Amino acid sequence: MAAAAAGLSWRRVSSFTGPVPRSRHGHRAVAIRELVIIFGGGNEGIADELHVYNTATNQWFLPAVRGDIPPGCAAHGFVCDGTRILVFGGMVEYGRYSNDLYELQASRWLWKKVKPQAPSTGSPPCPRLGHSFSLYGNKCYLFGGLANESEDSNNNVPRYLNDFYELELQHGSGVVGWSIPVTKGILPSPRESHTAIVYCRKDLGSPKMYIFGGMCGCRLNDLWELDIETMTWSRPETKGTVPLPRSLHTANVIGNKMYVFGGWVPQSAGGEISAHDGEWKCTGSFSYLNLDTTEWIGLISDCQEDKSNLLPGPRAGHCAVAVGTRLYIWSGRDGYRKAWNNQVCCKDLWYLDTEKPPAPSQVQLIRATTNSFQVKWDEVPTVEGYLLQLHSDSPVPSVTGTPGTGVPETSVLSSQGGSSLHQSLQSLTSIPFPEMKVDHPSQTNNVIPNNVQVSLSSNSLLKIEGKEKIAAPENKITQETMQSHADATGFKESNAPSLSPVCTSSPQTSANVGELHDLDKRTVNPDASVSSTVSSTQTMVTQQAVKTESSSTNGAVVKDETSLTTFNSKSEAAETAFIMPSTRVNTGQTNDTHSSKTPLRQMATGKTRERQWCDVGIFKSNIAVVSQFYLLPEETLSISNKMENADVPDYRLLKKQDLFPGTVYRFRVAAINGCGVGPFSKVSEFKTCIPGFPGAPSTVKITKSVDCIHLSWEPPASPSGNILEYSAYLAIRSTQLQENPNQLVFMRIYCGLKTSCIVTAAQLSNAHVDYTSRPAIVFRISAKNERGYGPATQVRWLQGC
């Protein structure tokens, strides 16, 4: 198999919802975060609808566009700049081409026809199709295409172009005008249906535009380079086998590679390539050009055919778009049927993971109990699952391979992330999404019991209903639960409630497994990692730790002001919760991205892993409730102690171990995609609670009025006795922040039995705005019973950016 030889794992998306667009060719696609936006193209008429495919929820939808809606067009220019999209030219009907320019503001689905200024020298671009339209910085670069020399659209006199224009954009919206750059070197020959991409090496700052292939009466496979800074054209020397001449192919940049798929190529007869006037065919060939070394690497050759439907079929005029490191391909024509006198178009949607996923953020604590944790981590786009591991300070018993009971019963997804968000208080500009409904899954539908070739469920946890768009929430709060049993860890109580935690998160620990510090020798501070609640439309994540002020005479006595040390986890919001499509997961890992060998999971080595990492399970989402973990057989432990890679065990054959109260556990997580398991996150530490202390307050609401805000909450679900009082704290500005910007200071603003309080404008004027994630004012609320204060719930009130 060609795919097996190259180590490729193409996936066909076989199950999706919403109005699927009709098959077509000559359409274009761009990506905005997890959304693939498709416009134009044709098959029995030119399409004028705008279709959107959500790669996270596996759903098609038709946004309700408004404004100066453009006519349908094909073979047009289509680029994305942030959340705005520009459309230039294309065929609007047979023989009639356009040179109109339209702008779509995807945050409002608003179309606008824009009229750029003509160039100071020369004429503006003539109507055309099949041109390239590439974006770099605040400029779009237009090259080539096909014009009609005849004024009569029914009398098509083609003229191939090689003119070159620059379009300057205004920030956010609008354009300045066209210009004709003065270039050096020899201009590429006239052509249409070619590709153009822009790439800038990380170590060398000069951006380059690469033009490949196209049609000029015969098909081409030449490669041209434009240095955008010096405006110099050249023909770079390449290594490897150059792909066959082609047109109507696609080229996409992912990392330092330009992936070229499909198109029209010469028909070979008996191993010989036909002449220019010979037969041509659609191809499913797939190659990439290493843009740093200019070496061509063939992944699927033109001669290889796939009879097992494991690869995208031959096609031309399709669209291809990169979402992160994943390449999506949709529709296109697979040939021409003379007997029917029409094009035959594909209807399939495919994707390919080109690299292993990056390491997720550190595991963050939502809630701890005496024998479980609810944890989360930042979502990684376009992944199929997550491998969560832990190890304990206490020795983990080794076991024989006795069959266990399968899936950990409490390893489930909490769609609310531990708390509810009832009112949001921050204005955000975002892409409108269809209305979302959150389902509460069963206890086992988030964990995958066996991580060897497992099939992820296609049942979406986020179901999107209807076609109507809604604006993103105007205001947001994020709510976090921080385990901070000061009294539970033996600290004495002062006049103010103790906020000393029972768990830690180490920013010093390397994310690379082979470079972990020796955790046995590290001093464990009584710090608490916390993480945010998941709202129905947005995940806001921050990772922080609380450090108490202690007295030399009374041990760790907490004052009214408690510092909050923030670790830089670089967590960022994802606008919607990601749901994995129905795919098969291979959780292995190898050193070669395209290796055909069965991947192996990355394991830790050396003295840092004397206590073994144990699997909690494989999860489809980025939230898990952990009450058990799998014990590896003794022979597996001894092998994995010596080996960096070990085969993934069959969970169904393993015993499970319950978590113990008052025990520190270390966590790490890795993302999984079609290329295998990516690197693990940095290590986080959490401690299970000691019985008898109250749980965290929940259901925090913030209501804003003219001169104050109203803060309210619900009592803990498990008070463990009578609640004696609540305390609320506000992060304030402090001189301590000047000395250590990562250390926040909290001041108590309320103490009493009521489950609400008023935060005055005077108090808010002294508030510190935390920028560890998005700008936010931070509150904390905790409850006290006869034994002392329990975990605090932390709320981030998002401020204007």
Side-chain angles (χ1 to χ4, degrees):
M1 278 296 303
L8 303 179
S9 182
W10 282 98
R11 313 289 176 92
R12 179 171 180 171
V13 182
S14 57
S15 175
F16 33 70
T17 59
V20 180
R22 71 180 191 266
S23 58
R24 65 193 66 190
H25 61 95
H27 51 292
R28 301 288 187 262
V30 295
I32 301 180
R33 289 189 294 274
E34 72 274 16
L35 300 183
V36 174
I37 301 171
I38 296 172
F39 180 68
N43 184 24
E44 299 180 358
I46 296 178
D48 59 359
E49 311 97 354
L50 188 79
H51 290 268
V52 180
Y53 175 69
N54 189 319
T55 61
T57 60
N58 218 24
Q59 186 220 16
W60 289 97
F61 66 92
L62 280 164
V65 296
R66 54 196 176 93
D68 304 325
I69 300 174
C73 58
H76 47 287
F78 201 55
V79 299
C80 179
D81 176 30
T83 58
R84 70 167 163 179
I85 296 170
L86 293 170
V87 179
F88 174 75
M91 182 173 71
V92 293
E93 62 182 46
Y94 179 78
R96 189 165 72 87
Y97 309 150
S98 168
N99 62 349
D100 291 333
L101 181 66
Y102 289 86
E103 177 187 271
L104 173 68
Q105 290 289 343
S107 59
R108 295 172 288 164
W109 300 123
L110 177 65
W111 282 107
K112 179 183 178 182
K113 187 174 183 179
V114 291
K115 297 181 179 180
Q117 299 175 6
S120 57
T121 58
S123 303
C126 65
R128 66 189 66 202
L129 61 71
H131 47 281
S132 59
F133 198 48
S134 308
L135 174 76
Y136 183 77
N138 69 330
K139 293 179 180 177
C140 288
Y141 297 95
L142 170 68
F143 177 79
L146 181 70
N148 186 358
E149 288 285 78
S150 173
E151 295 181 359
D152 181 7
S153 60
N154 293 320
N155 182 25
N156 194 4
V157 179
R159 178 167 65 96
Y160 295 98
L161 306 171
N162 68 339
D163 49 357
F164 181 58
Y165 287 87
E166 186 178 82
L167 176 66
E168 184 178 353
L169 310 182
Q170 292 177 346
H171 179 70
S173 178
V175 299
V176 178
W178 295 105
S179 62
I180 302 176
V182 176
T183 62
K184 305 171 188 176
I186 300 174
L187 216 63
S189 59
R191 66 192 65 204
E192 58 103 359
S193 297
H194 55 281
T195 55
I197 60 94
V198 177
Y199 172 69
C200 185
R201 287 183 59 165
K202 292 181 179 179
D203 54 341
L204 299 173
S206 180
K208 306 286 176 50
M209 183 169 74
Y210 292 90
I211 289 176
F212 176 70
M215 173 74 172
C216 65
C218 63
R219 288 174 175 85
L220 307 168
N221 65 345
D222 50 348
L223 180 71
W224 293 82
E225 177 186 283
L226 173 70
D227 187 312
I228 293 178
E229 287 187 354
T230 64
M231 281 293 159
T232 302
W233 289 101
S234 63
R235 288 284 305 273
E237 293 184 5
T238 62
K239 299 183 286 287
T241 302
V242 180
L244 290 178
R246 66 192 60 215
S247 63
L248 292 172
H249 53 287
T250 53
N252 300 85
V253 176
I254 300 176
N256 66 340
K257 301 177 178 67
M258 178 179 77
Y259 288 91
V260 176
F261 180 84
W264 284 103
V265 298
Q267 176 77 53
S268 61
E272 296 294 329
I273 301 299
S274 64
H276 289 168
D277 57 353
E279 293 294 323
W280 297 81
K281 67 172 184 177
C282 288
T283 181
S285 61
F286 186 46
S287 305
Y288 71 78
L289 175 69
N290 185 314
L291 296 167
D292 293 336
T293 63
T294 63
E295 179 180 8
W296 284 104
I297 302 293
L299 301 174
I300 303 172
S301 75
D302 297 275
C303 301
Q304 291 169 322
E305 293 185 4
D306 177 47
K307 303 295 186 182
S308 58
N309 295 320
L310 296 179
L311 298 173
R315 67 194 67 207
H318 53 283
C319 70
V321 63
V323 180
T325 59
R326 178 176 287 180
L327 181 67
Y328 281 87
I329 290 175
W330 181 71
S331 198
R333 58 183 176 182
D334 64 359
Y336 183 80
R337 302 294 184 266
K338 291 182 180 179
W340 301 345
N341 194 30
N342 70 340
Q343 306 288 347
V344 179
C345 290
C346 311
K347 301 179 180 180
D348 46 355
L349 173 65
W350 294 78
Y351 70 83
L352 172 72
D353 287 312
T354 61
E355 300 175 8
K356 291 177 182 176
S361 65
Q362 284 179 283
V363 178
Q364 303 151 27
L365 182 65
I366 294 175
R367 178 175 290 113
T369 67
T370 56
N371 59 1
S372 70
F373 297 107
Q374 186 176 21
V375 296
K376 76 180 301 295
W377 50 90
D378 286 0
E379 290 167 327
V380 178
T382 65
V383 299
E384 298 169 0
Y386 301 91
L387 172 62
L388 181 65
Q389 293 184 332
L390 65 72
H391 76 71
S392 168
D393 273 352
S394 303
V396 176
S398 61
V399 296
T400 58
T402 307
T405 58
V407 181
E409 289 79 7
T410 56
S411 294
V412 302
L413 166 69
S414 168
S415 59
Q416 296 295 331
S419 305
S420 300
L421 298 184
H422 287 265
Q423 183 174 7
S424 48
L425 301 170
Q426 165 58 28
S427 178
L428 296 173
T429 300
S430 177
I431 295 179
F433 293 98
E435 187 171 357
M436 297 185 180
K437 172 187 173 184
V438 178
D439 284 353
H440 294 274
S442 68
Q443 283 193 326
T444 59
N445 70 347
N446 182 41
V447 77
I448 301 171
N450 185 359
N451 59 346
V452 181
Q453 290 293 329
V454 251
S455 177
L456 289 175
S457 168
S458 60
N459 297 328
S460 293
L461 303 179
L462 283 179
K463 293 184 178 178
I464 302 182
E465 300 175 345
K467 303 177 184 178
E468 296 298 321
K469 70 182 181 70
I470 60 170
E474 293 186 354
N475 301 296
K476 288 288 177 192
I477 60 175
T478 62
Q479 185 168 309
E480 304 154 342
T481 302
M482 176 158 30
Q483 301 306 325
S484 53
H485 297 290
D487 299 17
T489 53
F491 297 125
K492 298 180 180 179
E493 180 188 0
S494 68
N495 295 331
S498 170
L499 297 175
S500 175
V502 298
C503 46
T504 65
S505 175
S506 169
Q508 296 85 8
T509 306
S510 170
N512 297 322
V513 177
E515 300 175 2
L516 291 171
H517 296 287
D518 191 341
L519 299 179
D520 288 337
K521 299 179 180 179
R522 180 170 54 79
T523 301
V524 177
N525 295 322
D527 295 344
S529 282
V530 300
S531 71
S532 67
T533 299
V534 182
S535 78
S536 62
T537 55
Q538 182 175 6
T539 304
M540 178 67 69
V541 179
T542 182
Q543 182 156 17
Q544 299 173 325
V546 175
K547 185 176 181 180
T548 61
E549 294 184 9
S550 59
S551 164
S552 59
T553 56
N554 294 324
V557 178
V558 182
K559 301 180 181 179
D560 277 1
E561 290 191 354
T562 306
S563 62
L564 181 73
T565 302
T566 301
F567 298 143
N568 296 323
S569 62
K570 297 182 180 179
S571 53
E572 188 54 43
E575 297 302 332
T576 57
F578 285 10
I579 298 301
M580 302 305 146
S582 177
T583 52
R584 294 182 66 79
V585 179
N586 187 321
T587 64
Q589 175 168 323
T590 63
N591 294 327
D592 185 359
T593 300
H594 297 299
S595 172
S596 61
K597 297 179 181 178
T598 302
L600 302 174
R601 191 186 65 215
Q602 189 179 41
M603 299 292 289
T605 59
K607 62 180 181 179
T608 61
R609 292 284 69 85
E610 290 175 2
R611 291 186 301 273
Q612 285 303 306
W613 287 101
C614 297
D615 290 357
V616 177
I618 298 178
F619 298 83
K620 289 185 295 183
S621 77
N622 63 327
I623 302 177
V625 174
V626 181
S627 63
Q628 296 172 314
F629 57 92
Y630 290 100
L631 296 174
L632 293 175
E634 186 172 0
E635 59 270 19
T636 306
L637 288 175
S638 60
I639 294 173
S640 60
N641 260 339
K642 304 173 184 177
M643 297 175 60
E644 182 177 353
N645 296 310
D647 289 332
V648 175
D650 185 342
Y651 290 160
R652 293 169 296 184
L653 303 177
L654 301 182
K655 273 192 172 182
K656 295 181 295 183
Q657 174 68 51
D658 293 332
L659 303 188
F660 295 102
T663 303
V664 173
Y665 293 92
R666 294 177 173 87
F667 285 87
R668 67 181 187 180
V669 65
I672 305 166
N673 67 11
C675 292
V677 179
F680 280 93
S681 66
K682 293 182 179 181
V683 176
S684 300
E685 288 183 358
F686 313 122
K687 188 175 182 180
T688 48
C689 300
I690 296 176
F693 292 84
S698 63
T699 319
V700 178
K701 302 178 185 178
I702 298 179
T703 306
K704 187 177 181 180
S705 61
V706 177
D707 56 351
C708 66
I709 65 169
H710 184 260
L711 192 64
S712 64
W713 56 90
E714 296 292 333
S718 53
S720 299
N722 295 323
I723 299 298
L724 303 181
E725 66 184 23
Y726 297 94
S727 284
Y729 283 75
L730 170 68
I732 60 171
R733 293 191 296 271
S734 169
T735 55
Q736 184 175 340
L737 285 170
Q738 299 174 2
E739 301 171 1
N740 186 357
N742 289 334
Q743 196 169 52
L744 301 184
V745 174
F746 281 83
M747 179 181 68
R748 185 162 65 179
I749 56 175
Y750 170 77
C751 182
L753 271 173
K754 290 184 179 180
T755 56
S756 64
C757 69
I758 298 294
V759 185
T760 65
Q763 290 172 322
L764 289 174
S765 66
N766 196 33
H768 168 72
V769 178
D770 177 36
Y771 287 90
T772 56
S773 180
R774 292 190 178 180
I777 293 175
V778 182
F779 297 96
R780 296 176 57 194
I781 306 160
S782 59
K784 178 183 177 183
N785 65 7
E786 291 86 350
R787 293 200 62 181
Y789 272 91
T793 296
Q794 181 159 297
V795 176
R796 304 184 80 250
W797 177 25
L798 300 187
Q799 304 300 297
C801 298

